Every structure is written in C-alpha cells, then in structure tokens.
C-alpha cells in the first residue's frame, strides 16, 4: 500500500469539521449524562417504591442494551410515534442517556461513601433534607467521583463514532464519506485513529493525576 500524503491534505478540512461535531456531541452528551445520572441516583434512593422501582428497571434496561440499538430506536422508531429528531440531536441524547445509567452508579457509590457521621451531624443541626443534600452530602460525594465521571467521558469519546450510523458526520463519518468518494480509505481512517489517541490518552493521564490529587 502506497501512502498518499495529498489525500491527507485533501481530507483535513473535512477532518476539522468532523472533529468539531465529535466534540460537540461529547460535551453535550456528557452534560446530559452527568445531570440525568444524578437524577437517576437520587430517585433510586427514594423511599417511594413507585419512584425507585421504575427508575431501577429503566436504568438496568438501558445499561444492558447496546448503544447502537438505542440510537437506532431513537432515530428510526420514534418517528413512527410522531417524534422526529435530527441525527445530531439523536446522537447527543443517545450518548447522554446511555452513559447516564453508568454515571448514576458512580454517584450512588459516591453518596454511599460519605461517612455516616456527616448524615448524623446534619440531622443534629436540624438541617432541612434538601439542604442536607445540597450543602453536605452531594459536595462530598461528587468530589469523590470526579475521576470516575471523567473516565466515562473518555469512554463516551471512544463510543462517539457510533453516531455515524445514523448519518452524523463526525470524524469517522467524514472519513468514511471521503473514502467512498476518493477510494482512499487508509489515510482518513488513520488520521481519525491518531486523533482519538491524541485526545483520549492525555485525558486519561489528566484523570489519573486528578484522582491522586483528590484522594490525598
């Protein structure tokens, strides 16, 4: 196989467009995952079975079905029920919803890790339940789980090419389109692979350093 540097140059404008789409999906998907994951975690701690059980069933179902199936359901099945989303919106929601079930477990572990004495101190001070959560429990729990949440951002980055299957031109989507038009697939796919390494590996090192700092 002869490496064609001109193909790399021709692909780069499309690569930057795809990179922007990938980062947008990653950031927005992460926001959904972090926010909805906390909602799931708190709902699963509810004293009301009518809240706790349905949430547990939904999160288990989402966690144990493939992300690709969920993307196809959102993009191809929901329109049959009158709900039509753009490809990008579907990708963002799919990534965020899928990973929210994992961040929920991270939050749960963080909340369970808060010392019992903190709960007892809040009760002794007669703090309202809402303030106990917002001022005492959640700040400590979230601080403990920041590195774990970051790991799921990296995992989401590596799963983001799946949104290509519903027509989103992320990095890999642009590479596939370029390859189908020019019959030069090796160069664009290699560029995309290197880009994922250059993003994911430094992020992993940063998360390790952050974890060491937070556990001191």
């Amino acid at each position: 196989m002869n490496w064609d540097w001109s193909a790399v140059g021709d692909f780069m404008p499309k690569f930057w467009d795809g990179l922007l789409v990938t980062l947008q999906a990653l950031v927005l998907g992460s926001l959904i995952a972090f926010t909805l994951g906390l909602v799931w975690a708190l709902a699963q701690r509810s004293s009301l079975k009518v809240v706790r059980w349905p949430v547990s069933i939904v999160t288990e179902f989402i966690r144990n079905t493939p992300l690709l199936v969920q993307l196809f359901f959102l993009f191809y099945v929901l329109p049959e029920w009158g709900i039509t989303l753009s490809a990008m919106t579907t990708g963002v929601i799919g990534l965020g919803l899928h990973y929210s079930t994992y961040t929920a477990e991270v939050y749960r572990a963080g909340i369970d890790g808060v010392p019992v004495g903190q709960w007892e101190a809040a009760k002794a001070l007669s703090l309202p339940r809402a303030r106990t959560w917002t001022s005492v429990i959640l700040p400590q729990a979230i601080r403990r789980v920041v590195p774990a949440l970051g790991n799921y951002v990296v995992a989401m980055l590596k799963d983001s090419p799946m949104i290509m299957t519903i027509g989103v031109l992320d990095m890999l989507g642009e590479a596939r389109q370029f390859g189908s038009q020019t019959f030069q697939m090796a160069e664009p796919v290699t560029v995309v692979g290197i880009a994922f390494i250059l993003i994911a590996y430094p992020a992993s090192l940063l998360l390790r350093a952050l974890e060491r700092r937070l556990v001191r």
Side-chain angles (χ1 to χ4, degrees):
M1 181 185 71
N2 295 322
W3 186 263
D4 188 350
W5 286 104
S6 64
V8 175
D10 293 339
F11 172 64
M12 289 311 295
K14 292 182 175 294
F15 165 77
W16 294 118
D17 291 340
L19 176 61
L20 180 60
V21 171
T22 297
L23 294 179
Q24 286 177 336
L26 179 64
V27 171
L28 296 176
S30 297
L31 291 175
I32 293 174
F34 293 161
T35 304
L36 191 56
L38 183 57
V39 173
W40 295 141
L42 295 177
Q44 288 176 328
R45 295 183 66 90
S46 173
S47 58
L48 300 175
K49 291 183 180 180
V50 70
V51 174
R52 188 172 66 250
W53 285 10
V55 168
S56 296
I57 292 172
V58 169
T59 54
E60 284 297 324
F61 177 81
I62 294 174
R63 190 182 303 120
N64 289 285
T65 53
L67 172 58
L68 186 58
V69 172
Q70 294 165 16
L71 290 173
F72 275 30
F73 182 87
L74 292 172
F75 194 67
Y76 294 111
V77 178
L78 287 187
E80 297 182 7
W81 298 344
I83 303 174
T84 302
L85 304 172
S86 69
M88 182 64 175
T89 300
T90 300
V92 168
I93 292 175
L95 286 171
L97 183 62
H98 184 79
Y99 276 93
S100 71
T101 61
Y102 293 98
T103 59
E105 288 300 301
V106 173
Y107 285 125
R108 182 192 60 77
I111 292 170
D112 290 344
V114 175
V116 176
Q118 298 295 312
W119 296 90
E120 295 174 345
K123 185 176 181 180
L125 293 172
S126 300
L127 292 180
R129 184 173 179 82
R131 188 173 179 188
T132 297
W133 277 103
T134 58
S135 300
V136 180
I137 304 304
L138 288 181
Q140 296 183 62
I142 292 175
R143 182 177 182 274
R144 294 168 180 265
V145 302
V146 166
L149 293 175
N151 286 332
Y152 280 116
V153 174
V154 175
M156 191 184 303
L157 170 67
K158 292 187 287 187
D159 273 348
S160 65
M162 288 191 184
I163 65 179
M164 173 191 68
T165 61
I166 57 173
V168 179
L169 290 179
D170 67 330
M171 287 192 292
L172 191 57
E174 291 283 8
R176 185 180 68 170
Q177 185 180 76
F178 181 86
S180 66
Q181 293 171 347
T182 64
F183 303 102
Q184 294 173 300
M185 189 64 75
E187 291 83 359
V189 171
T190 301
V191 169
V192 170
I194 293 173
F196 274 108
I197 293 173
L198 292 178
I199 297 172
Y201 185 64
S204 299
L205 294 179
L206 179 62
L207 288 170
R208 292 175 193 170
L210 180 61
E211 183 173 12
R212 289 194 295 267
R213 183 178 180 85
L214 290 177
V215 298
R216 287 178 181 176

